[in-house]
Amino acid sequence: MPRHAILVIDMLNDFVGEKASLRCPGGETITPDLQRLFKWVRGRENDDVHLVHIQEAHRKNDADFRVRPVHAVDGTWGSDFIPELYPEGDEYIVKKRRHSGFAHTDLDLYLREENIDTVVVTGVWTNVCVRSTATDALANAYKVITLSDGCASKTEEMHEYGLNDLSIFTKVMTIDEYIEAWDNDKDPWIGGGDKENKVK
């Protein structure tokens, strides 16, 4: 059977919630669905599905702030995970300073150490950090699945744009389809998923 890593991208205080400095309203919408996904993963007896938390954590004078407002500075409340989706136990955390979870981080090393062959992307924003991370996952020779109802962007239009782009090179499916495949001892990469039915 395959080994999967579910990448939970930037579900942080500066992106999700009314006090977020770069609020992604869709982040609040997907939080209950991601909570359900977390509960399923954490309740599994096997370790063939990992939760990996991707955390934007900038330095104070990060070059990123030349083009975007200051946000998610390492060690601040804004860079911390929202309480509803807080990491538990030994779930791996990857800090990043750029859009992609692979850019200048040890994410690829961790995945190879754990013999992960499939990356599953979730989180915010669909058309920015989620897409960038998925692109780099493909470039690093991973199979990539996008959970359509586990991703969100600032607007539904942006989400749909990102999802349509992701459908070109990833397997797009819903959280329910993903869980159902595993529960029926099937590889989600092979069964289920149809982007025409997943774009909201």
Side-chain angles (χ1 to χ4, degrees), residues 41-109:
V41 174
R42 290 166 177 166
R44 290 176 59 80
E45 295 181 358
N46 298 325
D47 68 347
D48 45 11
V49 181
H50 292 215
L51 282 175
V52 180
H53 304 268
I54 311 297
Q55 179 185 25
E56 196 155 314
H58 295 283
R59 63 190 188 93
K60 290 182 180 180
N61 297 313
D62 204 302
D64 191 60
F65 302 152
R66 298 171 190 168
V67 295
R68 295 199 295 169
V70 175
H71 63 281
V73 173
D74 192 16
T76 67
W77 172 86
S79 181
D80 202 4
F81 302 96
I82 62 172
E84 298 91 336
L85 298 175
Y86 217 82
E88 291 184 1
D90 59 355
E91 293 169 357
Y92 204 62
I93 297 172
V94 176
K95 290 186 177 184
K96 68 180 176 72
R97 290 174 48 210
R98 294 297 179 262
H99 291 158
S100 171
F102 286 90
H104 310 291
T105 73
D106 73 341
L107 177 57
D108 182 56
L109 176 62

Side-chain angles (χ1 to χ4, degrees), residues 12 22 39 50-51 73 100 108 111 127-128 142 166 170 176 187 191 195:
L12 312 175
L22 285 181
K39 183 178 180 180
H50 292 215
L51 282 175
V73 173
S100 171
D108 182 56
L111 297 175
N127 57 315
V128 185
Y142 295 99
L166 284 159
T170 79
D176 282 341
D187 182 351
K195 72 105 176 176

Side-chain angles (χ1 to χ4, degrees), residues 30-192:
I30 65 172
T31 294
D33 291 320
L34 289 177
Q35 285 181 299
R36 179 165 55 87
L37 180 64
F38 279 29
K39 183 178 180 180
W40 174 79
V41 174
R42 290 166 177 166
R44 290 176 59 80
E45 295 181 358
N46 298 325
D47 68 347
D48 45 11
V49 181
H50 292 215
L51 282 175
V52 180
H53 304 268
I54 311 297
Q55 179 185 25
E56 196 155 314
H58 295 283
R59 63 190 188 93
K60 290 182 180 180
N61 297 313
D62 204 302
D64 191 60
F65 302 152
R66 298 171 190 168
V67 295
R68 295 199 295 169
V70 175
H71 63 281
V73 173
D74 192 16
T76 67
W77 172 86
S79 181
D80 202 4
F81 302 96
I82 62 172
E84 298 91 336
L85 298 175
Y86 217 82
E88 291 184 1
D90 59 355
E91 293 169 357
Y92 204 62
I93 297 172
V94 176
K95 290 186 177 184
K96 68 180 176 72
R97 290 174 48 210
R98 294 297 179 262
H99 291 158
S100 171
F102 286 90
H104 310 291
T105 73
D106 73 341
L107 177 57
D108 182 56
L109 176 62
Y110 169 79
L111 297 175
R112 296 191 188 284
E113 287 176 335
E114 297 297 328
N115 297 313
I116 301 295
D117 55 54
T118 305
V119 165
V120 183
V121 291
T122 69
V124 297
W125 300 21
T126 313
N127 57 315
V128 185
C129 293
V130 173
R131 183 177 63 180
S132 297
T133 301
T135 300
D136 282 352
L138 181 69
N140 282 283
Y142 295 99
K143 293 180 286 186
V144 188
I145 294 173
T146 301
L147 298 184
S148 57
D149 51 351
C151 301
S153 201
K154 184 175 182 178
T155 66
E156 191 63 24
E157 182 180 15
M158 287 181 177
H159 173 65
E160 291 178 4
Y161 172 83
L163 206 58
N164 277 316
D165 198 14
L166 284 159
S167 72
I168 298 171
F169 62 96
T170 79
K171 181 84 168 183
V172 179
M173 59 199 315
T174 66
I175 291 173
D176 282 341
E177 287 173 335
Y178 181 77
I179 292 174
E180 182 180 3
W182 275 108
D183 287 349
N184 287 294
D185 295 322
K186 296 179 180 179
D187 182 351
W189 171 258
I190 297 173

